[in-house]
């Protein structure tokens, strides 16, 4: 039995979706103030789980809610409605929460959209991605991640970071090991730099 709200209710999920058949939760808690999460992993937003687990490596905590066997949009819970208890427990003590998401290409198949309430961390990650050769921007209006109930903002500080990766870029990352490692390395460098910087004491207005 699992909680879910948003696009499907608890009752609807219990009646039609089966843990281990339609979805699964994978996670690893470590003695770390950093958590990398993929709340729409597996077949929901492909490649995001793989990126989250690789970015966490052997140092950071990670969490993936994953669609299985082709289940996609029917298991997509909006980030502001995603409060699965195991995820909340894992990120609660973390000062850095980075949520990896997938978006449709639409008119831009390359640019990573960054959002979230922690603008300092968001900007640091954006800069590192750009330095690594990726197209990235914080000036997106479609995925701002500013809702306080957004899962990326539910960690210890009440503010985190979300990344929205276009499908074409995710496909390239999945098929190009050097590019994949470049993305993971950029996130790792940014996070380690963040952890050495004093955290803001208050939420942005």
């Amino acid at each position: 039995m699992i909680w879910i709200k948003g696009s499907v209710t608890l009752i609807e999920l219990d009646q039609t979706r089966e843990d281990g058949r339609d979805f699964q939760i994978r996670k690893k808690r470590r003695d770390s103030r950093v958590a990398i999460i993929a709340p729409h992993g597996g077949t929901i937003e492909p490649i995001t789980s793989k990126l989250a687990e690789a970015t966490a490596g052997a140092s950071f905590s990670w969490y993936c809610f994953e669609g299985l066997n082709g289940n996609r949009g029917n298991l997509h819970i909006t980030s502001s409605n995603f409060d699965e208890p195991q995820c909340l427990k894992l990120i609660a003590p973390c000062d850095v929460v980075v949520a990896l998401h997938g978006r449709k290409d639409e008119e831009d198949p390359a640019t990573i959209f960054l959002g979230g309430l922690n603008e300092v961390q968001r900007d640091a990650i954006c800069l590192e991605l750009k330095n690594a050769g990726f197209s990235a921007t914080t000036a997106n209006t479609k995925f701002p991640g500013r809702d306080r109930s957004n899962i990326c903002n539910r960690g210890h500080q009440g503010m985190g970071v979300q990344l929205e990766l276009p499908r074409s870029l995710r496909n390239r990352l999945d098929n190009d090991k050097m590019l994949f490692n470049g993305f993971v390395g950029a996130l790792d460098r940014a996070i380690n730099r963040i952890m050495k910087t004093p955290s803001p004491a208050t939420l942005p207005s």
Side-chain angles (χ1 to χ4, degrees), residues 150-167:
N150 186 307
I151 190 61
C152 78
N153 298 322
R154 301 289 293 274
H156 179 66
Q157 293 192 41
M159 51 185 179
V161 182
Q162 77 172 20
L163 280 67
E164 295 276 353
L165 286 78
R167 182 59 190 265

PDB file of all heavy atoms in Angstrom, residues 150-167:
ATOM      1  N   ASN A 150       6.358  22.170  -3.337  1.00  0.00           N
ATOM      2  CA  ASN A 150       7.121  21.405  -4.322  1.00  0.00           C
ATOM      3  C   ASN A 150       8.100  20.501  -3.587  1.00  0.00           C
ATOM      4  O   ASN A 150       8.789  20.933  -2.655  1.00  0.00           O
ATOM      5  CB  ASN A 150       7.864  22.372  -5.251  1.00  0.00           C
ATOM      6  CG  ASN A 150       8.574  21.675  -6.395  1.00  0.00           C
ATOM      7  OD1 ASN A 150       9.357  20.745  -6.206  1.00  0.00           O
ATOM      8  ND2 ASN A 150       8.336  22.154  -7.600  1.00  0.00           N
ATOM      9  N   ILE A 151       8.192  19.243  -3.997  1.00  0.00           N
ATOM     10  CA  ILE A 151       9.011  18.280  -3.269  1.00  0.00           C
ATOM     11  C   ILE A 151      10.467  18.724  -3.145  1.00  0.00           C
ATOM     12  O   ILE A 151      11.131  18.413  -2.153  1.00  0.00           O
ATOM     13  CB  ILE A 151       8.917  16.876  -3.924  1.00  0.00           C
ATOM     14  CG1 ILE A 151       9.565  15.817  -3.060  1.00  0.00           C
ATOM     15  CG2 ILE A 151       9.471  16.898  -5.343  1.00  0.00           C
ATOM     16  CD1 ILE A 151       8.950  15.650  -1.683  1.00  0.00           C
ATOM     17  N   CYS A 152      10.977  19.500  -4.100  1.00  0.00           N
ATOM     18  CA  CYS A 152      12.364  19.953  -3.992  1.00  0.00           C
ATOM     19  C   CYS A 152      12.539  20.952  -2.854  1.00  0.00           C
ATOM     20  O   CYS A 152      13.666  21.170  -2.383  1.00  0.00           O
ATOM     21  CB  CYS A 152      12.855  20.540  -5.308  1.00  0.00           C
ATOM     22  SG  CYS A 152      12.314  22.226  -5.681  1.00  0.00           S
ATOM     23  N   ASN A 153      11.436  21.561  -2.417  1.00  0.00           N
ATOM     24  CA  ASN A 153      11.493  22.566  -1.350  1.00  0.00           C
ATOM     25  C   ASN A 153      11.047  22.023   0.000  1.00  0.00           C
ATOM     26  O   ASN A 153      10.675  22.784   0.887  1.00  0.00           O
ATOM     27  CB  ASN A 153      10.609  23.769  -1.727  1.00  0.00           C
ATOM     28  CG  ASN A 153      11.073  24.469  -2.985  1.00  0.00           C
ATOM     29  OD1 ASN A 153      12.273  24.614  -3.218  1.00  0.00           O
ATOM     30  ND2 ASN A 153      10.123  24.894  -3.808  1.00  0.00           N
ATOM     31  N   ARG A 154      11.084  20.713   0.181  1.00  0.00           N
ATOM     32  CA  ARG A 154      10.587  20.109   1.413  1.00  0.00           C
ATOM     33  C   ARG A 154      11.706  19.577   2.307  1.00  0.00           C
ATOM     34  O   ARG A 154      11.445  18.830   3.237  1.00  0.00           O
ATOM     35  CB  ARG A 154       9.611  18.978   1.076  1.00  0.00           C
ATOM     36  CG  ARG A 154       8.391  19.385   0.256  1.00  0.00           C
ATOM     37  CD  ARG A 154       7.410  20.219   1.038  1.00  0.00           C
ATOM     38  NE  ARG A 154       6.771  19.465   2.112  1.00  0.00           N
ATOM     39  CZ  ARG A 154       5.687  18.719   1.960  1.00  0.00           C
ATOM     40  NH1 ARG A 154       5.112  18.602   0.765  1.00  0.00           N
ATOM     41  NH2 ARG A 154       5.157  18.093   2.988  1.00  0.00           N
ATOM     42  N   GLY A 155      12.935  19.962   2.010  1.00  0.00           N
ATOM     43  CA  GLY A 155      14.055  19.536   2.842  1.00  0.00           C
ATOM     44  C   GLY A 155      14.211  20.396   4.082  1.00  0.00           C
ATOM     45  O   GLY A 155      13.331  21.185   4.438  1.00  0.00           O
ATOM     46  N   HIS A 156      15.348  20.288   4.731  1.00  0.00           N
ATOM     47  CA  HIS A 156      15.603  20.954   6.011  1.00  0.00           C
ATOM     48  C   HIS A 156      15.482  22.470   5.908  1.00  0.00           C
ATOM     49  O   HIS A 156      14.960  23.124   6.815  1.00  0.00           O
ATOM     50  CB  HIS A 156      17.003  20.577   6.499  1.00  0.00           C
ATOM     51  CG  HIS A 156      17.394  21.208   7.798  1.00  0.00           C
ATOM     52  ND1 HIS A 156      16.758  20.917   8.988  1.00  0.00           N
ATOM     53  CD2 HIS A 156      18.343  22.131   8.101  1.00  0.00           C
ATOM     54  CE1 HIS A 156      17.300  21.627   9.965  1.00  0.00           C
ATOM     55  NE2 HIS A 156      18.260  22.372   9.454  1.00  0.00           N
ATOM     56  N   GLN A 157      15.940  23.052   4.813  1.00  0.00           N
ATOM     57  CA  GLN A 157      15.911  24.508   4.651  1.00  0.00           C
ATOM     58  C   GLN A 157      14.583  25.026   4.120  1.00  0.00           C
ATOM     59  O   GLN A 157      14.334  26.234   4.128  1.00  0.00           O
ATOM     60  CB  GLN A 157      17.024  24.956   3.698  1.00  0.00           C
ATOM     61  CG  GLN A 157      18.427  24.760   4.242  1.00  0.00           C
ATOM     62  CD  GLN A 157      19.451  25.483   3.394  1.00  0.00           C
ATOM     63  OE1 GLN A 157      19.221  26.604   2.949  1.00  0.00           O
ATOM     64  NE2 GLN A 157      20.582  24.858   3.165  1.00  0.00           N
ATOM     65  N   GLY A 158      13.735  24.117   3.631  1.00  0.00           N
ATOM     66  CA  GLY A 158      12.481  24.554   3.031  1.00  0.00           C
ATOM     67  C   GLY A 158      12.661  25.174   1.659  1.00  0.00           C
ATOM     68  O   GLY A 158      11.786  25.880   1.169  1.00  0.00           O
ATOM     69  N   MET A 159      13.783  24.883   1.030  1.00  0.00           N
ATOM     70  CA  MET A 159      14.041  25.381  -0.314  1.00  0.00           C
ATOM     71  C   MET A 159      15.117  24.522  -0.967  1.00  0.00           C
ATOM     72  O   MET A 159      16.097  24.137  -0.329  1.00  0.00           O
ATOM     73  CB  MET A 159      14.466  26.853  -0.300  1.00  0.00           C
ATOM     74  CG  MET A 159      15.588  27.208   0.633  1.00  0.00           C
ATOM     75  SD  MET A 159      15.884  28.999   0.657  1.00  0.00           S
ATOM     76  CE  MET A 159      17.231  29.086   1.870  1.00  0.00           C
ATOM     77  N   GLY A 160      14.868  24.205  -2.239  1.00  0.00           N
ATOM     78  CA  GLY A 160      15.799  23.344  -2.943  1.00  0.00           C
ATOM     79  C   GLY A 160      15.902  23.735  -4.407  1.00  0.00           C
ATOM     80  O   GLY A 160      15.635  24.878  -4.780  1.00  0.00           O
ATOM     81  N   VAL A 161      16.280  22.757  -5.235  1.00  0.00           N
ATOM     82  CA  VAL A 161      16.534  23.007  -6.651  1.00  0.00           C
ATOM     83  C   VAL A 161      15.873  21.919  -7.483  1.00  0.00           C
ATOM     84  O   VAL A 161      15.897  20.746  -7.104  1.00  0.00           O
ATOM     85  CB  VAL A 161      18.053  23.011  -6.954  1.00  0.00           C
ATOM     86  CG1 VAL A 161      18.311  23.321  -8.426  1.00  0.00           C
ATOM     87  CG2 VAL A 161      18.783  24.002  -6.053  1.00  0.00           C
ATOM     88  N   GLN A 162      15.278  22.311  -8.607  1.00  0.00           N
ATOM     89  CA  GLN A 162      14.782  21.309  -9.541  1.00  0.00           C
ATOM     90  C   GLN A 162      15.354  21.562 -10.928  1.00  0.00           C
ATOM     91  O   GLN A 162      15.553  22.711 -11.335  1.00  0.00           O
ATOM     92  CB  GLN A 162      13.255  21.275  -9.589  1.00  0.00           C
ATOM     93  CG  GLN A 162      12.573  22.367 -10.364  1.00  0.00           C
ATOM     94  CD  GLN A 162      11.073  22.134 -10.500  1.00  0.00           C
ATOM     95  OE1 GLN A 162      10.451  21.380  -9.753  1.00  0.00           O
ATOM     96  NE2 GLN A 162      10.462  22.805 -11.454  1.00  0.00           N
ATOM     97  N   LEU A 163      15.646  20.480 -11.626  1.00  0.00           N
ATOM     98  CA  LEU A 163      16.161  20.538 -12.977  1.00  0.00           C
ATOM     99  C   LEU A 163      15.169  19.842 -13.898  1.00  0.00           C
ATOM    100  O   LEU A 163      14.702  18.741 -13.589  1.00  0.00           O
ATOM    101  CB  LEU A 163      17.517  19.831 -13.109  1.00  0.00           C
ATOM    102  CG  LEU A 163      18.774  20.577 -12.662  1.00  0.00           C
ATOM    103  CD1 LEU A 163      18.773  20.791 -11.145  1.00  0.00           C
ATOM    104  CD2 LEU A 163      20.021  19.806 -13.069  1.00  0.00           C
ATOM    105  N   GLU A 164      14.857  20.488 -15.011  1.00  0.00           N
ATOM    106  CA  GLU A 164      13.978  19.919 -16.030  1.00  0.00           C
ATOM    107  C   GLU A 164      14.803  19.691 -17.290  1.00  0.00           C
ATOM    108  O   GLU A 164      15.239  20.638 -17.945  1.00  0.00           O
ATOM    109  CB  GLU A 164      12.805  20.862 -16.320  1.00  0.00           C
ATOM    110  CG  GLU A 164      11.849  21.070 -15.154  1.00  0.00           C
ATOM    111  CD  GLU A 164      10.804  19.965 -15.066  1.00  0.00           C
ATOM    112  OE1 GLU A 164      10.749  19.116 -15.983  1.00  0.00           O
ATOM    113  OE2 GLU A 164      10.035  19.966 -14.077  1.00  0.00           O
ATOM    114  N   LEU A 165      15.004  18.420 -17.624  1.00  0.00           N
ATOM    115  CA  LEU A 165      15.834  18.060 -18.772  1.00  0.00           C
ATOM    116  C   LEU A 165      14.955  17.642 -19.952  1.00  0.00           C
ATOM    117  O   LEU A 165      14.095  16.772 -19.799  1.00  0.00           O
ATOM    118  CB  LEU A 165      16.777  16.906 -18.422  1.00  0.00           C
ATOM    119  CG  LEU A 165      17.974  17.218 -17.532  1.00  0.00           C
ATOM    120  CD1 LEU A 165      17.537  17.336 -16.066  1.00  0.00           C
ATOM    121  CD2 LEU A 165      19.038  16.144 -17.664  1.00  0.00           C
ATOM    122  N   PRO A 166      15.176  18.242 -21.143  1.00  0.00           N
ATOM    123  CA  PRO A 166      14.382  17.860 -22.311  1.00  0.00           C
ATOM    124  C   PRO A 166      14.651  16.416 -22.734  1.00  0.00           C
ATOM    125  O   PRO A 166      15.739  15.883 -22.474  1.00  0.00           O
ATOM    126  CB  PRO A 166      14.828  18.850 -23.389  1.00  0.00           C
ATOM    127  CG  PRO A 166      16.188  19.285 -22.964  1.00  0.00           C
ATOM    128  CD  PRO A 166      16.178  19.266 -21.461  1.00  0.00           C
ATOM    129  N   ARG A 167      13.649  15.809 -23.379  1.00  0.00           N
ATOM    130  CA  ARG A 167      13.754  14.391 -23.738  1.00  0.00           C
ATOM    131  C   ARG A 167      14.949  14.108 -24.640  1.00  0.00           C
ATOM    132  O   ARG A 167      15.658  13.110 -24.462  1.00  0.00           O
ATOM    133  CB  ARG A 167      12.458  13.922 -24.404  1.00  0.00           C
ATOM    134  CG  ARG A 167      12.456  12.427 -24.770  1.00  0.00           C
ATOM    135  CD  ARG A 167      12.675  11.572 -23.525  1.00  0.00           C
ATOM    136  NE  ARG A 167      12.921  10.186 -23.836  1.00  0.00           N
ATOM    137  CZ  ARG A 167      11.956   9.246 -23.857  1.00  0.00           C
ATOM    138  NH1 ARG A 167      10.707   9.573 -23.607  1.00  0.00           N
ATOM    139  NH2 ARG A 167      12.256   7.997 -24.117  1.00  0.00           N
TER     140      ARG A 167
END
